[in-house]
Amino acid sequence: MTETTRQPCDLLIEAGWVVPVNPHGVVLVDHAVVVSGDRIVALLPLAEARERFAPAQTVSRPDSVLIPGLVNGHTHNPMTLMRGVADDLSLMPWLHEHVWPIEGAVMSPEFVADGVELAVAEMLRGGTTCCNESYFFPDAQAATYRRLGFRARVGLPVIEFPSAWAASTAEYFDKGLEVYDNYRSDPLVSLSFAPHAPYTVSDESFERIRMLAEQLDLPVHVHVHETAQEIADSLKQYGQRPIARLDRLGVVNERLIAVHMTQLIDAEIALCAERGVSVLHCPQSNLKLASGFSPVEKLRRAGVNLGLGTDGCASNNDLDMFDEMRTAALLAKGVAMDATALDAASALRIATLGSAKALGLDEHIGSIEVGKQADLTLIAMDALETQPMYNAISHLVYATGRHQVSDVWIAGQRKLADRELVGIDVDALRAKTRQWQQRIAAIGNKP
């Protein structure tokens, strides 16, 4: 084929290995992904790609693995500015004695925007291209994600006590719907309802959320069955376990993104499978807060869609999805007492396509397929720590560190190039972070 008959494209990414995630467990050797605009237009053997396409730019990484961008299925990214303020505590003392008092003192659009920018920088350097967000000031979140060109589903918060964002339940709904109107057609920023948890949201609010979610076609992103105390308190107050209460209110359906789910009985697992609920697993946060163990393998074998998230940096304390995959795979084996539980390919899947499906974005991201958005991550495998390599997927889950991520694209736009962030002023970001550190430390909550 002559130069004049080769098809023009914007980008050709050549990799020693491509892991498309769908089909499941497949590794393609010496393949290339072709990108035009924001979309993948071809995935084919390297020699054929070079013959058929004339790219404006070529990135050749023969010692690297190309995967779909990782999808952080649950996080509170402004809390990146609270990394390490209250360690080694259980959930309720952590919230009531540390997190909520600090938030009461510093919560503002500026705090949220700066925390999101710090989180985006960390996520990009770790190969993450999309996140599912739950925090206050969703307007400031959305504006920052849009400015940085980062894909996010931003939660519209609902909680039954006042905050710097809203003074009443009615105001949470009114302001949230205004944010929805402003971003309903944004190509990168989408919305969800994000009621905090069953123990902080009333029946009336959940019923209104159910109605609006149906009308606006939005997911409902909520912490559910996170601790044994939550179950006991719900039984005392409502005479029902939280998931049963949510089912009574009409919330348990294919829109529900149920986060944590460490306290489950078999009937609840079957209910989630029947209703199409997605469960977002946050193993490191659950371990750190001693909240319990999600029965991930039982959920997976029942057919429940699983996603993976880091939770926020105040309870993790990082946004490292590679480390989260490894923890998820290892913990699942220990909980199930089965070495075959959550194998490497399945761990990678929940960190990509599973999270994307939970967010309702699986038609656009989560796998390397023709027609999907070009959200892509390259990982260098030539380090001594990942030598020798017999199985690329095994290494991604059990041996790779996020420092090996070299290049990242979102919607075809390069966001990380040879480990250098594109479009983020690192020195300015570091300076802003230090200012917040000084202010938060002065509150007196940091040990």
Side-chain angles (χ1 to χ4, degrees):
M1 188 174 291
T2 66
E3 184 66 31
T4 56
T5 58
R6 290 166 71 208
Q7 182 179 337
C9 65
D10 293 320
L11 174 65
L12 182 68
I13 306 173
E14 304 177 348
W17 304 267
V18 176
V19 180
V21 173
N22 193 36
H24 183 72
V26 168
V27 179
L28 304 172
V29 179
D30 291 332
H31 270 57
V33 168
V34 183
V35 176
S36 282
D38 60 356
R39 298 197 176 271
I40 298 166
V41 297
L43 167 59
L44 67 177
L46 182 55
E48 185 179 347
R50 289 173 175 173
E51 181 181 350
R52 285 181 49 190
F53 291 92
Q57 181 187 23
T58 299
V59 175
S60 183
R61 296 282 191 268
D63 294 319
S64 294
V65 177
L66 183 68
I67 64 171
L70 299 169
V71 180
N72 191 337
H74 174 69
T75 188
H76 311 283
N77 277 334
M79 298 179 80
T80 308
L81 292 172
M82 298 167 64
R83 193 194 316 264
V85 296
D87 291 326
D88 307 320
L89 296 168
S90 58
L91 178 63
M92 289 307 167
W94 176 80
L95 276 175
H96 288 277
E97 298 171 22
H98 298 271
V99 171
W100 286 346
I102 292 173
E103 289 178 333
V106 301
M107 183 74 68
S108 66
E110 294 76 20
F111 173 83
V112 169
D114 291 347
V116 165
E117 185 173 8
L118 179 62
V120 166
E122 180 176 352
M123 288 189 293
L124 288 172
R125 284 164 55 87
T128 296
T129 57
C130 177
C131 68
N132 189 30
E133 178 69 84
S134 175
Y135 205 67
F136 302 99
F137 289 97
D139 53 345
Q141 296 174 46
T144 306
Y145 285 121
R146 172 191 276 174
R147 175 174 64 82
L148 297 173
F150 192 90
R151 194 180 303 279
R153 192 172 278 280
V154 172
L156 305 175
V158 178
I159 197 166
E160 305 294 340
F161 58 73
S163 67
W165 165 245
S168 66
T169 303
E171 190 175 8
Y172 279 105
F173 280 102
D174 290 344
K175 295 181 78 171
L177 291 172
E178 183 178 349
V179 175
Y180 168 78
D181 286 338
N182 290 335
Y183 288 90
R184 60 196 303 173
S185 301
D186 195 277
L188 289 179
V189 177
S190 54
L191 289 307
S192 71
F193 283 103
H196 173 257
Y199 58 87
T200 54
V201 178
S202 68
D203 282 10
E204 293 77 13
S205 291
F206 273 120
E207 287 174 336
R208 188 175 181 192
I209 288 167
R210 176 194 55 76
M211 179 189 68
L212 289 169
E214 289 178 0
Q215 291 176 354
L216 304 177
D217 191 23
L218 296 182
V220 178
H221 175 199
V222 57
H223 307 85
V224 188
H225 282 225
E226 185 171 1
T227 65
Q229 188 64 50
E230 176 189 340
I231 310 300
D233 290 346
S234 182
L235 287 168
K236 182 177 180 180
Q237 183 174 358
Y238 298 101
Q240 291 180 297
R241 291 165 66 88
I243 199 76
R245 175 177 161 235
L246 294 182
D247 190 32
R248 170 172 58 82
L249 298 171
V251 179
V252 179
N253 54 43
E254 71 281 354
R255 299 184 191 281
L256 181 60
I257 306 171
V259 183
H260 298 307
M261 299 286 267
T262 68
Q263 315 291 318
L264 291 173
I265 58 176
D266 289 347
E268 291 164 342
I269 293 172
L271 177 67
C272 289
E274 177 188 342
R275 298 292 178 79
V277 172
S278 287
V279 172
L280 257 298
H281 183 35
C282 301
Q284 292 191 356
S285 176
N286 293 155
L287 286 167
K288 188 165 183 282
L289 295 171
S291 297
F293 307 111
S294 181
V296 166
E297 188 64 8
K298 278 189 174 184
L299 287 161
R300 188 173 77 92
R301 291 181 179 177
V304 176
N305 179 60
L306 290 166
L308 188 69
T310 60
D311 212 340
C313 275
S315 65
N316 187 299
N317 294 9
D318 59 40
L319 304 173
D320 185 349
M321 286 288 287
F322 283 96
D323 202 27
E324 207 74 36
M325 278 194 289
R326 181 179 302 115
T327 302
L330 297 176
L331 186 61
K333 299 174 193 310
V335 169
M337 293 299 290
D338 179 356
T340 69
L342 199 65
D343 59 279
S346 296
L348 178 62
R349 189 179 187 88
I350 70 171
T352 51
L353 194 56
S355 286
K357 183 176 181 180
L359 274 57
L361 298 175
D362 53 310
E363 291 185 4
H364 307 287
I365 62 170
S367 59
I368 301 177
E369 298 183 73
V370 172
K372 283 196 171 184
Q373 293 274 293
D375 289 14
L376 301 163
T377 292
L378 269 171
I379 305 104
M381 289 295 188
D382 55 355
L384 291 177
E385 291 80 3
T386 43
Q387 295 295 313
M389 185 170 76
Y390 304 107
N391 183 303
I393 296 176
S394 170
H395 265 23
L396 288 169
V397 174
Y398 295 123
T400 300
R402 62 177 172 174
H403 62 281
Q404 292 171 249
V405 173
S406 63
D407 301 88
V408 171
W409 291 264
I410 298 176
Q413 297 297 309
R414 204 171 188 180
K415 297 297 178 181
L416 189 73
D418 295 318
R419 290 291 296 162
E420 295 295 326
L421 290 163
V422 178
I424 294 178
D425 186 333
V426 174
D427 291 335
L429 179 57
R430 187 178 288 112
K432 286 188 289 188
T433 301
R434 285 173 176 163
Q435 290 176 351
W436 285 112
Q437 175 186 329
Q438 292 168 2
R439 183 172 172 184
I440 291 170
I443 296 170
N445 284 276
K446 190 175 189 314

